Amino acid sequence: MPICTACPRNCGVERIENAASKGFCKMPYNAVIARAALHFGEEPLICGKGGSGAIFFSGCSMKCVFCQNFEISHNGYGKAVSKERFVEIIKELEAQGAQHINLVNPTHFVPFIKDALSEYKPCVPVVYNSSGYDTVESLKSLEGLIDVYLPDLKYYDNEVAKKYSACSDYFEYASQAILEMHRQTGGSIIENGLMKKGVIIRHLILPKNTDQSIKILRWIKENLPADTYISLMSQYTPCGREYEYKELNRRIVTAELQKVLNEFDALGFTNGFTQDRNSANEQFIPNFDLTGV
């Protein structure tokens, strides 16, 4: 009987079709997808000129109050697909010219994804685009199937992770997951402006939380090579249930962004992406209408 240990929640529920109970993510074994289409909102090394073939999974192993994809992550909107249909979706995205197959929020569907990719490995690189809240064991099960890891590193202090994401052990898991991702991929391989292999660590700067950003940058400096790719995002836009926390009811200000950028420079990082503060709007939120599903 398949028992779910896909994410650090370790719910231990049955992961089979029509199971009587579901775990924290409220999802079955079969992937539930809200959108599968070319997407241009990722880093240039992922999008290129043709866009990434983004497959947006429903449900989530976290409960971020500010989630931009609230409709699918919290409310579970989407359609369950078979492994056969999932492979068809990948092939359709390849035919549309996708530069990568971009698995967005895949953590809780790792067993399904492993089974599907073991049957069909795309001709373009596969991107594992996660919250960072992954187990080393799940990641090891995907070794050889994933080419590029695109994890978040959201928080350093667990009290902040618990407050905003109902996750009291976030950093312990995310930090070890990122080390495993780097072990699998080794150094980055870039060809014609596209990442073929490697890791890009994302961090969303939150208002009144620049201390988290600085602690994370320092951890990366101490634990990963100096040429590690880092994506500092200033696109935070109030949405979801952020009104519960007054500090999240605004976008970041210029001084907050500059403070983090100054630390990035002071630590001597050489590979990074940043966003203009004006990027904080809803342009990065796709229309979840079952396109391509």
Side-chain angles (χ1 to χ4, degrees), residues 133-150:
Y133 193 50
D134 296 280
T135 68
V136 169
E137 292 74 20
S138 276
L139 296 173
K140 284 184 175 179
S141 77
L142 294 171
E143 188 163 4
L145 300 173
I146 303 299
D147 303 291
V148 177
Y149 282 101
L150 185 60

Side-chain angles (χ1 to χ4, degrees), residues 16 131 210 282:
I16 57 176
S131 67
T210 54
E282 296 185 0

Side-chain angles (χ1 to χ4, degrees), residues 205-211 213-214 234 236 247 250-263 277:
I205 304 168
L206 294 174
K208 290 199 74 173
N209 278 276
T210 54
D211 59 326
S213 304
I214 288 171
S234 57
Y236 173 76
E247 67 271 24
R250 64 168 175 83
R251 299 170 182 175
I252 66 170
V253 297
T254 300
E256 289 172 319
L257 175 58
Q258 195 57 56
K259 180 180 179 181
V260 177
L261 293 178
N262 288 346
E263 184 69 15
R277 198 173 64 86

Side-chain angles (χ1 to χ4, degrees), residues 18-40:
N18 303 314
S21 61
K22 293 183 171 67
F24 186 88
C25 65
K26 301 294 190 289
M27 290 288 121
Y29 164 79
N30 280 42
V32 179
I33 300 172
R35 181 180 177 86
L38 296 180
H39 184 58
F40 295 86

Side-chain angles (χ1 to χ4, degrees), residues 30-81:
N30 280 42
V32 179
I33 300 172
R35 181 180 177 86
L38 296 180
H39 184 58
F40 295 86
E42 313 288 30
E43 288 74 9
L45 291 179
I46 303 297
C47 284
K49 295 180 179 179
S52 74
I55 301 174
F56 289 88
F57 295 100
S58 304
C60 191
S61 59
M62 300 184 72
K63 293 296 179 188
C64 303
V65 297
F66 51 81
C67 181
Q68 291 186 332
N69 298 345
F70 199 90
E71 178 184 5
I72 66 172
S73 64
H74 287 240
N75 296 339
Y77 176 76
K79 179 181 177 181
V81 301

